[in-house]
């Protein structure tokens, strides 16, 4: 029973409580009974969540458009976080099946099947987690040959329609759906339709939604008899349905397909109705030329700049459109929120004439780390390089300040001391496509491998060694997964080896055989260079990269002689 209670405690923070919530009095006991099915057999806990149908057609009040945006990214990450929380308490882990149920209702909402299919394809592309499986009505009703046949089969599964007016509970549900279709969806009224005819049509569609919903419930109960049912609608959490919170800390039900994502000044992501966004305080950020999320800004000048997420679905933020002096209008505290959320921020069009200007700017982000040569490291190919950093060769993937010796003063105070952020300023760019700084999204790595692998990696120790005194010269050993010192989140830590004649760098696992260690390291290299995890930043003069040294890894692509003038200034803070 103790392990079952641990699983319930892991689930509880992911629920939205109602005013008359019954989770403590009834929901816990219901879950204890259902979870026994999994724990006795040592099987993964199975959840099913019907949702992610299509975007609301009301783009004025509710959402940004017809395609997924950062709201869906946030919701999927919350589902993945639930899987992680359960797996941390229960070794067999869990699996969440998302039943994308748009076919059930999209015609009632005047959303075409093409638009619904495009949404469904897009939302699946956002998911990296092996703990989440996606399915649809076509898998529950495999004999249906078209979308209309699926809906007809759904209505047959519901049985005969129930009279609504004579049943107070059904009448209340019907009234709520009528209000939803009229006020939230704002179903279009035909030009030749009277008000009474329009209201009658709304009432009929609400009744049709109820009937199909009954059929959907019957199919879910038949195909997922032992799954724990998560819901996108508000229930009292007594069971069998439990209301899932798509964002952390929410006290009310909000679905990403009925809202827009907003990153607030407190660093929290929220889902709110589009009409609730204050355009005097928020600015829209895009991704691949599509509206992606709103950013709450610190001042008016911030709202006049352009913001773009660089890598799908949420890695790297570019800020452009700066004029002289605009950098002063971007407060470090606000930029740190963006850095924490997106891994790094690229500010384009910055003009630092002197290295001291960069140093003074970086002081707003933390304490400067000073090397023997000062605060600013000029990264530029040398005629006689003393290592790969100052050469035309590639620089292996790593994180900054990783190889400080154990007798370093800061390391003696904290064995895992490292820079919290580092800044790269481009004084002179290389040729296009050369000398790109590669940035690895550690969050994506963690999502791709899943919580079971991450739990194994916590005890996987990797030893790194290089003869270069610039890096400390002594071997250092790190776990592959560490905890962020401030948030407690999992952090992926890895450094790529090198067989360069200029500088050898080794990575090995002492508890494995030589062959097993080599194969494991090769698999990690494949992962960090996976296009889903890595971005290659092409430099322009005046680019300023502000990088989260915990969330990311970084390296450099090789260059030709024509790029020898490439010059970056680097500063690290902690």
């Amino acid at each position: 029973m103790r392990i079952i209670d641990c699983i319930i405690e892991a689930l509880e923070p992911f629920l939205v409580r109602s005013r008359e919530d019954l989770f403590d009095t009834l929901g816990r006991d219901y879950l204890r009974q259902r979870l026994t099915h999994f724990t006795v057999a040592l099987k993964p806990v199975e959840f099913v969540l019907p949702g992610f149908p299509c975007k609301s057609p009301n783009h004025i009040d509710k959402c940004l458009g017809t395609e997924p945006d950062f709201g869906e990214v946030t919701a999927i990450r919350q589902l993945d976080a639930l899987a992680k929380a359960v797996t941390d308490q229960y070794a067999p882990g869990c699996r969440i099946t998302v039943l994308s149920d748009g076919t059930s209702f999209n015609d009632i909402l005047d959303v075409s099947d093409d638009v619904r299919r495009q949404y469904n394809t897009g939302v699946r592309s956002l998911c990296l987690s092996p703990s989440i499986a996606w399915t649809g009505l076509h898998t529950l009703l495999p004999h249906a040959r078209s979308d209309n046949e699926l809906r007809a089969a759904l209505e047959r599964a519901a049985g005969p329609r129930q009279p609504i007016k004579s049943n107070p509970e059904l009448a209340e549900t019907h009234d709520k759906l009528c209000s939803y279709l009229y006020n939230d969806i704002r179903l279009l009224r035909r030009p030749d339709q009277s008000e009474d005819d329009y209201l009658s049509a709304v009432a009929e569609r609400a009744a049709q939604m109820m009937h199909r919903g009954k059929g959907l419930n019957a199919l879910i109960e038949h195909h997922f008899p032992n799954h724990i049912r998560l819901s996108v609608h508000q229930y009292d959490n007594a069971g069998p349905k439990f209301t899932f919170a798509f964002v952390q800390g929410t006290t009310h039900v909000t679905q990403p397909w009925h809202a827009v994502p907003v990153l607030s000044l407190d660093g929290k992501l929220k889902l709110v109705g589009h009409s609730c966004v204050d355009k005097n305080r928020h600015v829209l950020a895009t991704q691949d030329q599509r509206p992606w999320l709103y950013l709450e800004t610190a001042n008016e000048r911030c709202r006049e700049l352009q913001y773009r997420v660089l890598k799908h679905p949420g890695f790297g933020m570019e800020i452009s459109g700066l004029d002289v002096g605009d950098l002063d209008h971007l407060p470090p505290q606000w930029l740190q929120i963006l850095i924490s959320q997106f891994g790094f921020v690229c500010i384009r069009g910055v003009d630092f004439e002197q290295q001291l200007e960069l140093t003074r700017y970086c002081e707003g982000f933390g304490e400067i780390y000073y090397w023997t040569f000062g605060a600013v490291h000029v990264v530029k190919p040398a005629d006689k390089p003393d290592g790969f950093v100052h050469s035309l060769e590639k620089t292996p993937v790593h994180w900054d300040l990783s190889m400080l010796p154990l007798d370093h003063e800061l390391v003696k105070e904290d064995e895992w001391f490292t820079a919290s952020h580092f800044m790269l300023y481009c004084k002179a760019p290389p040729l296009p496509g050369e000398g790109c700084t590669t940035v690895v999204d550690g969050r994506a790595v963690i999502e791709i491998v899943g919580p079971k692998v991450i739990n194994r990696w916590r005890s996987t120790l990797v030893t790194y060694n290089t003869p270069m005194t610039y890096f400390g010269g002594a071997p250092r050993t790190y776990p592959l997964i560490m905890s962020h010192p401030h948030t407690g989140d999992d952090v992926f830590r890895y450094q790529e080896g090198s067989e360069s004649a200029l500088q050898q760098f080794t990575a090995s696992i002492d508890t494995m055989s030589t062959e097993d260690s080599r194969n494991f390291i090769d698999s990690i290299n494949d992962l960090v260079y996976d296009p889903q995890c890595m971005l290659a930043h092409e430099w322009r003069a005046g680019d300023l990269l502000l990088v989260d040294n915990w969330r990311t890894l970084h390296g450099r692509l090789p260059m030709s002689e024509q790029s020898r003038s490439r010059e970056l200034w680097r500063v690290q803070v902690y």
Side-chain angles (χ1 to χ4, degrees):
M1 186 63 75
R2 190 185 70 81
I3 190 63
I4 288 178
D5 286 338
C6 288
I7 296 172
I8 294 172
E9 288 179 12
L11 170 63
E12 190 173 358
F14 294 89
L15 301 181
V16 182
R17 299 297 192 103
S18 67
R19 291 181 179 177
E20 295 82 25
D21 199 82
L22 299 176
F23 181 77
D24 292 326
T25 54
L26 296 176
R28 289 182 187 276
D29 289 337
Y30 177 89
L31 283 173
R32 287 189 182 104
Q33 297 173 14
R34 295 299 297 272
L35 286 168
T36 302
H37 169 80
F38 305 104
T39 58
V40 168
L42 293 178
K43 293 180 179 179
V45 177
E46 296 269 13
F47 295 94
V48 61
L49 181 139
F52 297 91
C54 58
K55 285 289 195 182
S56 168
N58 183 357
H59 304 157
I60 296 175
D61 300 316
K62 292 297 176 182
C63 58
L64 287 170
T66 61
E67 298 186 52
D69 53 45
F70 203 65
E72 277 77 8
V73 177
T74 302
I76 291 169
R77 286 177 176 168
Q78 185 77 340
L79 287 168
D80 190 51
L82 169 60
K84 176 185 179 300
V86 172
T87 305
D88 285 347
Q89 300 299 326
Y90 177 61
C94 87
R95 186 174 177 85
I96 303 169
T97 298
V98 177
L99 175 64
S100 188
D101 59 353
T103 315
S104 304
F105 310 113
N106 67 288
D107 61 324
I108 295 175
L109 306 180
D110 290 333
V111 175
S112 73
D113 285 320
D114 285 342
V115 168
R116 187 259 309 159
R117 279 190 288 268
Q118 186 176 13
Y119 172 86
N120 189 254
T121 300
V123 79
R124 292 181 187 219
S125 74
L126 301 175
C127 184
L128 303 177
S129 172
S131 302
I132 302 174
W134 294 81
T135 189
L137 280 183
H138 63 282
T139 60
L140 308 188
L141 298 165
H143 300 298
R145 294 170 296 181
S146 68
D147 293 326
N148 286 333
E149 283 192 19
L150 279 174
R151 288 185 275 264
L154 197 62
E155 294 188 6
R156 286 195 298 272
R161 278 206 192 188
Q162 297 175 279
I164 294 175
K165 291 184 179 180
S166 60
N167 186 317
E169 186 177 346
L170 292 180
E172 182 182 1
T173 301
H174 184 258
D175 287 345
K176 289 180 180 178
L177 280 175
C178 286
S179 176
Y180 163 72
L181 293 172
Y182 185 87
N183 295 308
D184 291 2
I185 299 300
R186 298 197 178 187
L187 284 178
L188 294 177
R189 177 176 167 180
R190 297 197 314 267
D192 60 343
Q193 210 171 22
S194 68
E195 179 69 12
D196 287 343
D197 288 344
Y198 173 66
L199 293 177
S200 295
V202 169
E204 170 56 26
R205 294 197 190 196
Q208 198 173 15
M209 287 188 75
M210 292 174 64
H211 190 57
R212 290 187 190 173
K214 181 184 175 185
L216 181 62
N217 275 327
L219 287 172
I220 292 173
E221 289 172 5
H222 175 73
H223 288 276
F224 304 95
N226 296 311
H227 285 57
I228 295 169
R229 177 82 175 266
L230 301 177
S231 178
V232 303
H233 303 294
Q234 185 66 70
Y235 288 95
D236 59 14
N237 293 315
K241 298 179 182 180
F242 297 88
T243 305
F244 186 75
F246 282 116
V247 290
Q248 293 180 353
T250 186
T251 56
H252 60 280
V253 174
T254 312
Q255 304 106 348
W257 49 92
H258 286 290
V260 297
V262 175
L263 181 61
S264 301
L265 287 177
D266 59 6
K268 295 179 180 178
L269 271 163
K270 302 175 182 177
L271 295 173
V272 302
H274 201 178
S275 60
C276 297
V277 175
D278 184 351
K279 304 299 173 57
N280 293 320
R281 294 192 298 117
H282 296 85
V283 63
L284 183 65
T286 63
Q287 198 280 319
D288 198 21
Q289 299 182 329
R290 288 161 45 191
W292 206 239
L293 81 158
Y294 280 99
L295 308 173
E296 186 176 6
T297 55
N299 54 59
E300 182 178 356
R301 184 58 188 133
C302 288
R303 294 186 287 278
E304 296 171 348
L305 304 176
Q306 290 79 54
Y307 300 84
R308 179 170 71 97
V309 176
L310 292 170
K311 182 173 175 54
H312 184 81
F315 186 49
M317 172 65 72
E318 177 189 273
I319 303 176
S320 59
L322 272 72
D323 292 330
V324 176
D326 275 346
L327 194 60
D328 295 335
H329 293 283
L330 305 179
Q333 296 83 357
W334 179 67
L335 288 172
Q336 283 180 319
I337 291 172
L338 300 184
I339 298 166
S340 177
Q341 181 62 52
F342 300 103
F344 72 97
V345 170
C346 173
I347 306 175
R348 303 214 115 134
V350 176
D351 184 19
F352 288 132
E353 290 292 334
Q354 305 294 327
Q355 295 178 16
L356 184 58
E357 296 175 73
L358 174 61
T359 305
R360 287 175 175 168
Y361 176 75
C362 293
E363 288 173 348
F365 294 85
E367 190 165 350
I368 302 290
Y369 182 87
Y370 282 90
W371 296 86
T372 55
F373 48 76
V376 178
H377 177 200
V378 178
V379 183
K380 186 176 182 180
D383 293 333
K384 294 182 179 180
D386 56 1
F388 42 61
V389 171
H390 294 107
S391 75
L392 297 172
E393 297 181 4
K394 67 169 284 188
T395 300
V397 166
H398 62 287
W399 75 94
D400 269 6
L401 299 189
S402 59
M403 295 299 291
L404 296 177
L406 289 170
D407 60 357
H408 189 286
E409 288 301 317
L410 291 170
V411 177
K412 285 194 289 187
E413 294 177 12
D414 175 9
E415 181 183 2
W416 307 126
F417 169 81
T418 190
S420 59
H421 300 83
F422 67 91
M423 291 70 174
L424 289 171
Y425 174 66
C426 184
K427 193 65 177 175
L431 291 179
E434 296 189 1
C436 299
T437 291
T438 53
V439 193
V440 178
D441 184 357
R443 174 188 283 170
V445 172
I446 288 171
E447 289 177 354
I448 285 173
V449 300
K452 288 185 179 180
V453 172
I454 292 302
N455 285 343
R456 291 200 301 270
W457 283 2
R458 295 185 207 284
S459 57
T460 302
L461 302 178
V462 186
T463 298
Y464 306 99
N465 192 17
T466 178
M468 294 296 296
T469 54
Y470 168 78
F471 289 98
R476 291 295 309 270
T477 299
Y478 291 92
L480 205 54
I481 296 294
M482 298 177 64
S483 294
H484 193 288
H486 303 302
T487 67
D489 293 339
D490 287 332
V491 175
F492 175 62
R493 300 276 76 171
Y494 173 69
Q495 300 183 87
E496 180 187 9
S498 169
E499 297 181 357
S500 168
L502 289 172
Q503 179 181 350
Q504 290 192 358
F505 193 99
T506 62
S508 61
I509 301 172
D510 297 337
T511 55
M512 294 182 181
S513 68
T514 301
E515 182 179 0
D516 288 345
S517 175
R518 185 184 304 114
N519 291 336
F520 184 84
I521 293 298
D522 286 345
S523 70
I524 299 297
N525 287 334
D526 290 341
L527 189 57
V528 297
Y529 280 93
D530 188 314
Q532 294 182 100
C533 303
M534 178 176 281
L535 178 151
H537 177 74
E538 292 210 21
W539 288 102
R540 301 181 195 171
D543 279 358
L544 175 63
L545 252 60
L546 313 173
V547 187
D548 186 334
N549 196 43
W550 283 101
R551 161 86 185 272
T552 68
L553 306 173
H554 64 283
R556 184 189 68 217
L557 298 183
M559 299 175 281
S560 66
E561 279 290 337
Q562 287 71 32
S563 292
R564 186 171 285 279
S565 60
R566 177 190 189 268
E567 181 177 337
L568 302 183
W569 297 350
R570 186 191 67 184
V571 174
Q572 295 138 330
V573 301
Y574 63 95

